């Protein structure tokens, strides 16, 4: 009887640990998606994203926010327009 109770308690502990790990993963993914898809994709500067996420420096924000291909294309088009207006 005691062994059965111990096994059940260990299984409960394992489930709690697994749910906690899943919660941390969901939180990380949500912050990453917010920084990348919502903010940076809509032209918010990385400095402002850092403030929104509560980071004290930009390096932590760069960890969450990967550079989007669409933002690279938009920036390169801006450079092309500026250069073509100079000539």
């Amino acid at each position: 009887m005691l062994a059965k109770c111990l096994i059940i308690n260990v299984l409960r502990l394992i489930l709690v640990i697994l749910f906690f790990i899943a919660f941390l993963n969901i939180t990380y993914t949500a912050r990453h998606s917010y920084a990348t898809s919502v903010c940076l994709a809509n032209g918010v500067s990385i400095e402002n994203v850092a403030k929104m996420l509560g980071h004290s420096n930009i390096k932590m924000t760069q960890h969450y926010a990967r550079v989007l291909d669409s933002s690279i294309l938009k920036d390169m088009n801006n450079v092309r327009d500026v250069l073509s207006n100079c000539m």
Side-chain angles (χ1 to χ4, degrees), residues 5 12 17 21 26 29 36 46 51 56 74 79-80:
C5 288
R12 284 183 185 156
I17 291 170
I21 291 170
I26 289 169
T29 303
T36 305
I46 195 147
K51 289 286 185 184
S56 58
K74 184 171 61 172
V79 169
R80 182 194 64 208

Side-chain angles (χ1 to χ4, degrees), residues 1 5 11 15 18 23 29 31 37-38 43 45 48 55 64 67 70 76 78 80 82-84:
M1 181 73 175
C5 288
L11 290 175
L15 281 175
L18 289 175
F23 173 76
T29 303
R31 287 175 63 88
S37 301
V38 176
S45 69
N48 290 339
H55 297 156
Y64 283 102
V67 178
S70 60
M76 290 305 295
N78 288 341
R80 182 194 64 208
V82 168
L83 292 176
S84 66

Side-chain angles (χ1 to χ4, degrees), residues 53 57 69:
L53 294 177
N57 60 33
D69 289 338

Side-chain angles (χ1 to χ4, degrees), residues 12-33:
R12 284 183 185 156
L13 177 64
I14 291 171
L15 281 175
V16 167
I17 291 170
L18 289 175
F19 281 126
F20 182 70
I21 291 170
F23 173 76
L24 291 178
N25 190 30
I26 289 169
T27 305
Y28 170 81
T29 303
R31 287 175 63 88
H32 186 279
S33 296

